[in-house]
Amino acid sequence: MSMKKNIAGSSNTVGRFIRATILTAMASVFLTIASGGVAHANLWQLSDGFDSNPSDTWYFETYGVSGAGFDINAGTARSAPNNAYLWSQTNFSAVGRYVTLRNNSYRDQCAAGIHIQGMAGAKVNVEIIDPKKWVYVSLKTATINSSGYTKVLVPAWTGGPNTVYFRVSLLNGSGFSMVRVDDLVVQCTY
């Protein structure tokens, strides 16, 4: 009775390896052909956590009995050290900034999101605005019901101007309301 040892590198093992490599290569070629070629998407991203001279970049709007400001090293930020806050007794308050996107002729799609923490029931608009026409490019209305920071994303958009105004508005239904905002991210694919 003869016993064979299967040693790594034997002809059976090498044969299986070659067959697997050929099948993988064939699958890759098929997927490339079926998808119309190799994708060449690039990603552009802006991240702003209110951490580097926020008053140089961010603008506040207050209407009625409302207010806004920055918490500097206060221990209230989602990611240290700073965040912005909004409060309103009547009407609304907002914080926003201009964002220059990459050239529109090469831009496929953009999206944006920010983390918001606030009093239960606080209602906010997260807005992408065309600053020349002052119309929404994208808008998400959200009600904050968590004690921790919650990410609020605006719907992705295509086209639009090369410079947009990103804004978080605290809307007042009735009574006092307050939110903190931190960690803006805007991304576009090309």
Side-chain angles (χ1 to χ4, degrees):
M1 183 164 144
S2 149
M3 294 185 71
K4 272 187 163 178
K5 257 183 162 177
N6 191 2
I7 301 171
S10 70
S11 63
N12 287 342
T13 303
V14 172
R16 281 191 299 255
F17 174 76
I18 291 172
R19 282 191 302 275
T21 302
I22 290 171
L23 287 173
T24 302
M26 288 172 58
S28 295
V29 169
F30 173 77
L31 288 174
T32 300
I33 292 169
S35 67
V38 178
H40 294 286
N42 289 317
L43 180 70
W44 171 87
Q45 177 173 301
L46 167 88
S47 298
D48 188 330
F50 297 91
D51 298 329
S52 180
N53 297 319
S55 60
D56 288 347
T57 308
W58 291 90
Y59 304 95
F60 294 111
E61 299 171 60
T62 58
Y63 302 91
V65 180
S66 65
F70 299 111
D71 287 325
I72 306 294
N73 296 312
T76 55
R78 177 180 172 270
S79 62
N82 307 330
N83 62 276
Y85 64 86
L86 306 169
W87 66 268
S88 180
Q89 181 71 37
T90 65
N91 221 317
F92 80 97
S93 60
V95 60
R97 64 160 290 168
Y98 290 94
V99 177
T100 301
L101 309 170
R102 298 256 322 249
N103 187 317
N104 188 27
S105 61
Y106 299 107
R107 193 169 59 241
D108 291 329
Q109 189 173 56
C110 296
I114 195 159
H115 289 83
I116 303 174
Q117 174 192 45
M119 295 176 66
K123 188 173 180 181
V124 296
N125 274 351
V126 180
E127 309 159 344
I128 304 296
I129 300 170
D130 178 337
K132 289 184 180 174
K133 300 176 185 172
W134 207 253
V135 296
Y136 291 128
V137 174
S138 187
L139 168 68
K140 175 69 175 185
T141 300
T143 301
I144 306 303
N145 287 316
S146 170
S147 61
Y149 277 93
T150 301
K151 183 187 286 184
V152 179
L153 303 169
V154 298
W157 72 93
T158 56
N162 290 334
T163 298
V164 296
Y165 191 72
F166 175 89
R167 182 171 76 172
V168 175
S169 297
L170 173 61
L171 310 174
N172 190 285
S174 62
F176 181 81
S177 190
M178 181 188 165
V179 294
R180 287 188 173 92
V181 297
D182 200 7
D183 296 330
L184 165 67
V185 175
V186 181
Q187 293 182 335
C188 297
T189 57
Y190 295 86

